[in-house]
Amino acid sequence: MTKLLVLLLFLLSILNPFMAQSSDDFEPITVDNIDNLQMTGIVSRGRLSSFAWSHDDAEIAVASPSGLWIYTPFNFDTMPEHFDTRPISTVLYSSDGHYLAAGGTVSASQATCGGLYGENLLTVWNIQTAETVVESRTSTVNMLFVPNHDLLLTVNRENGLELWDLGTGERLVYSQYLIPEAASHSFGTDIVLAVSPDGEYFAATAVYGGSFPSTWSTRNQIDLFLSDANHFVFSTRETVENNRFEQVAVSITDDWITHTGRSTDGQFQARYDGSRLTIYDTDTNKELSALDAHPGSFSTLTFHPNGDELAFLMYANEIRLWDIENLELRGVLEADAIISNTNILYSPNGQFLASGTSNFENMIYVWDLVSGGRPATFEVENNYSVISPRLFSSDNRYLFAVASGSGDSPSIISMIDMVNQEVSVNLEVDQRIGAITLSNDDRSLAVFTQNRSMNNYEIQIWRVADLVSGNYIETRYEVNFALIDMSFVSNNKLIVERPINECATTVSLFDLDTGVETQLGDDANAMSLYSPALNLDRSLLAVAEPTGIRLWDLRTLQEIEYISVDNVVSVIFSQDGRSLLSVHGYSGANGEVHLWRVNPIEE
């Protein structure tokens, strides 16, 4: 038996050479070996927005920021079908098995920008004929098929109701606000739908911020008001002209149809806890199958220097440490203050992990991962809504944090001495602070600033040694564009990401000495590049775009590789240079995370 097990493990290692290997087993990613870069695994499947059983329980459809996936519910290890690559927030099968519907939602600004966000946000397929029967750019946060009718009810992100004819693909009804009392809250994702068994009526309730019941008939215009816990009062509008009403009381019972996690026959139950989709036996509550997504709903993530661990900053004011080789939780760091929606950062030696605070807490938290225990806190002067750690020096000595002022308040750059455990410098800057970076030798700190009127842009550079000695004299370089991000390639050249307009960004090489900007890429793709990332020796640049990853040799400024992959929103190199992450979906947070590496090092 032991020999058989050893042989099986040997065969598996041949079939998958990347299995159970750490970052140290791989070569650093360079210009010379980029041809061998390949995806070695899915570190995180992203936040699962919704799921639905097929009518025969043979499939379970999962909606996520990275698209629509079709799984075999009792064998999640089987490769799923990537049915649709658009960001999907809700999915549903019809009870007769004829239709599959998928919907997504984006913000108004995202919808304006077109491209990835300009695609159809609601799609209904006829499963039997493989035809698309409904396509619409309307945002969709909830939906329900109407039994005994080829109709689909949808609710958009503004709480608007839409009723679709699946035979013709036409929209039959549109109501701007399904629940008028909830309109000002825009709590569309919290609208719960229910349909009567005969398909004649449906009810909707906003369950967030109070209940505001409302309903429509699938045949007549009807408004609904709650009379007590078990009854709804329907006010039927006979004619629009004379505005006459007839009220009829209708009881809402448990046999109304809602979107639940139960299988069609009720034998199985699917549950999603924010990190794991699990199939249970309804009677015994026994776990039958599970799909790990990631450690929960997060706002940002960062690589550990060893390349084998990710830290996720959770919306619940905690940081979860995630083993990317074994896809399991290593630990949880908790804070007393609100740390979500700021930033997290490992020191280069992996000893420290820093986070900022929001909601005017004015502190930086730093955990010592070697000694453990409670985090150290460093208070920043004045009163700022958000303060975030931005950089560690390569010798682990200094941590730089930024609190960008609003109104007439100055911005603050705090320089924290990790050896003496104190804030050694609080540098006031009478402008708003954007990007910040250190030179390759750690001697210079570059900061992008813009004035309050947003019409004057500068890159200000301080010598770190001068800051330590209290000499706050800076060198200023005026630029004619705003910056989102920047990184030193050499002591006088920066890779910069900057906006072209409200929808597009580009990446270019900027020479501080000459003021010359060299745009990367041709005119066809230069306006859709973002999230620049540099490898260990800063000769290779990875850049995200909606349909792939582009890689440049910065020594020649030539594009040397293009990887076609859907919905890329950001790319990140690990500090050891052996791993590249790509995040997919409609935002960096909660998207699916792919891991890329080159050849394993031969023994």
Side-chain angles (χ1 to χ4, degrees):
M1 181 66 181
T2 303
K3 291 182 178 180
L4 180 61
L5 180 59
V6 171
L7 177 61
L8 178 59
L9 291 174
F10 173 73
L11 290 173
L12 285 174
S13 67
I14 295 176
L15 292 173
N16 185 0
F18 303 107
M19 180 179 178
Q21 289 181 297
S22 70
S23 177
D24 291 338
D25 296 323
F26 293 86
E27 299 175 0
I29 302 169
T30 67
V31 170
D32 297 328
N33 62 18
I34 195 64
D35 290 342
N36 299 317
L37 185 68
Q38 56 186 295
M39 191 180 79
T40 62
I42 298 177
V43 175
S44 161
R45 296 189 181 276
R47 175 179 51 82
L48 307 184
S49 308
S50 175
F51 60 88
W53 293 86
S54 62
H55 75 292
D56 57 2
D57 299 333
E59 298 175 344
I60 191 165
V62 175
S64 77
S66 61
L68 178 60
W69 301 83
I70 308 297
Y71 286 89
T72 302
F74 304 105
N75 187 8
F76 281 126
D77 293 332
T78 303
M79 181 64 69
E81 177 186 359
H82 202 177
F83 193 82
D84 196 291
T85 60
R86 296 165 302 148
I88 303 295
S89 58
T90 183
V91 61
L92 191 64
Y93 285 98
S94 63
S95 59
D96 57 12
H98 290 169
Y99 301 105
L100 172 64
T105 180
V106 296
S107 67
S109 61
Q110 290 170 333
T112 301
C113 291
L116 168 64
Y117 305 112
E119 299 177 5
N120 294 317
L121 296 174
L122 172 65
T123 307
V124 183
W125 297 272
N126 185 315
I127 298 174
Q128 297 175 330
T129 65
E131 295 177 333
T132 301
V133 296
V134 172
E135 284 185 313
S136 173
R137 291 183 61 177
T138 183
S139 63
T140 306
V141 297
N142 203 352
M143 55 190 173
L144 207 57
F145 285 101
V146 179
N148 305 317
H149 302 76
D150 279 346
L151 298 173
L152 175 70
L153 295 161
T154 63
V155 176
N156 62 33
R157 68 187 305 271
E158 291 80 23
N159 293 330
L161 165 76
E162 291 169 300
L163 180 64
W164 300 88
D165 186 326
L166 302 181
T168 65
E170 296 179 354
R171 185 174 68 179
L172 301 179
V173 173
Y174 171 73
S175 167
Q176 184 176 7
Y177 295 116
L178 172 63
I179 297 176
E181 294 88 341
S184 61
H185 302 286
S186 297
F187 295 141
T189 54
D190 303 293
I191 300 290
V192 176
L193 296 173
V195 178
S196 60
D198 59 7
E200 293 297 316
Y201 299 99
F202 80 93
T205 300
V207 297
Y208 185 83
S211 295
F212 306 109
S214 184
T215 196
W216 286 69
S217 165
T218 55
R219 292 188 175 180
N220 307 307
Q221 290 193 38
I222 292 180
D223 295 326
L224 170 72
F225 302 91
L226 184 66
S227 62
D228 59 46
N230 299 312
H231 291 79
F232 289 95
V233 175
F234 295 92
S235 299
T236 304
R237 181 172 298 164
E238 295 180 346
T239 62
V240 178
E241 290 77 16
N242 57 19
N243 203 29
R244 293 193 311 236
F245 296 91
E246 176 187 358
Q247 291 193 351
V248 181
V250 179
S251 176
I252 303 299
T253 61
D254 290 339
D255 60 354
W256 275 51
I257 300 166
T258 60
H259 187 182
T260 71
R262 288 182 181 271
S263 59
T264 305
D265 60 8
Q267 184 177 354
F268 308 107
Q269 176 81 22
R271 303 173 192 166
Y272 178 57
D273 63 4
S275 63
R276 202 164 187 253
L277 177 63
T278 310
I279 308 297
Y280 294 89
D281 183 290
T282 303
D283 294 332
T284 65
N285 207 36
K286 179 182 178 181
E287 179 180 316
L288 303 176
S289 184
L291 172 67
D292 287 308
H294 62 52
S297 186
F298 67 97
S299 61
T300 190
L301 75 165
T302 188
F303 254 123
H304 188 281
N306 66 16
D308 291 337
E309 178 180 284
L310 287 175
F312 289 87
L313 177 57
M314 316 306 293
Y315 287 109
N317 297 322
E318 64 183 21
I319 298 170
R320 297 189 181 183
L321 308 180
W322 189 247
D323 185 329
I324 65 176
E325 306 301 332
N326 301 309
L327 299 182
E328 62 185 17
L329 191 65
R330 284 182 175 175
V332 177
L333 307 176
E334 297 181 344
D336 296 327
I338 298 175
I339 63 174
S340 60
N341 298 317
T342 60
N343 190 35
I344 51 176
L345 190 68
Y346 281 104
S347 61
N349 63 0
Q351 179 179 355
F352 301 113
L353 180 63
S355 82
T357 54
S358 55
N359 199 33
F360 299 95
E361 300 283 355
N362 299 314
M363 284 188 296
I364 292 291
Y365 279 82
V366 179
W367 285 265
D368 189 324
L369 302 177
V370 175
S371 62
R374 300 288 298 170
T377 58
F378 301 93
E379 189 168 355
V380 179
E381 296 177 0
N382 294 322
N383 195 27
Y384 295 93
S385 60
V386 177
I387 179 168
S388 289
R390 295 289 192 91
L391 301 166
F392 269 103
S393 59
S394 60
D395 62 0
N396 309 286
R397 175 70 185 267
Y398 296 110
L399 169 64
F400 296 88
V402 170
S404 192
S406 59
D408 295 328
S409 300
S411 299
I412 294 288
I413 300 174
S414 294
M415 188 172 168
I416 300 171
D417 188 327
M418 298 306 301
V419 173
N420 297 315
Q421 292 285 291
E422 64 180 10
V423 179
S424 59
V425 174
N426 269 326
L427 178 63
E428 287 194 3
V429 179
D430 193 25
Q431 290 181 306
R432 293 180 180 178
I433 295 176
I436 177 173
T437 186
L438 278 171
S439 60
N440 301 0
D441 57 9
D442 276 358
R443 293 182 179 179
S444 299
L445 176 69
V447 178
F448 170 74
T449 63
Q450 56 191 11
N451 64 358
R452 307 298 176 186
S453 301
M454 309 285 284
N455 58 9
N456 182 59
Y457 310 115
E458 291 182 332
I459 295 175
Q460 301 182 28
I461 296 183
W462 286 268
R463 302 288 292 177
V464 173
D466 289 344
L467 294 177
V468 173
S469 64
N471 184 1
Y472 297 163
I473 299 176
E474 76 277 10
T475 303
R476 294 172 179 254
Y477 298 87
E478 189 171 333
V479 294
N480 60 1
F481 49 78
L483 288 182
I484 298 172
D485 194 12
M486 63 180 180
S487 298
F488 274 103
V489 177
S490 63
N491 286 337
N492 65 336
K493 289 184 173 64
L494 293 164
I495 283 292
V496 299
E497 177 189 358
R498 66 182 186 89
I500 299 295
N501 52 47
E502 64 176 334
C503 298
T505 64
T506 189
V507 174
S508 56
L509 184 68
F510 183 71
D511 190 312
L512 287 169
D513 293 337
T514 64
V516 174
E517 180 191 12
T518 305
Q519 183 174 277
L520 299 181
D522 54 37
D523 292 338
N525 65 52
M527 293 182 63
S528 60
L529 304 177
Y530 41 84
S531 182
L534 292 169
N535 75 330
L536 190 61
D537 65 8
R538 305 195 184 213
S539 65
L540 179 66
L541 174 70
V543 176
E545 68 169 22
T547 58
I549 304 170
R550 296 186 180 272
L551 297 116
W552 273 273
D553 183 342
L554 290 180
R555 299 170 301 185
T556 63
L557 294 185
Q558 296 296 312
E559 183 178 339
I560 57 175
E561 191 74 21
Y562 175 73
I563 302 171
S564 179
V565 59
D566 293 314
N567 302 344
V568 186
V569 294
S570 64
V571 288
I572 310 165
F573 273 107
S574 61
Q575 292 187 39
D576 65 1
R578 301 173 191 270
S579 304
L580 177 69
L581 285 184
S582 58
V583 182
H584 306 254
Y586 56 80
S587 66
N590 299 322
E592 187 169 282
V593 181
H594 295 179
L595 180 66
W596 303 80
R597 286 171 172 164
V598 295
N599 301 327
I601 298 174
E602 296 182 2
E603 297 291 339

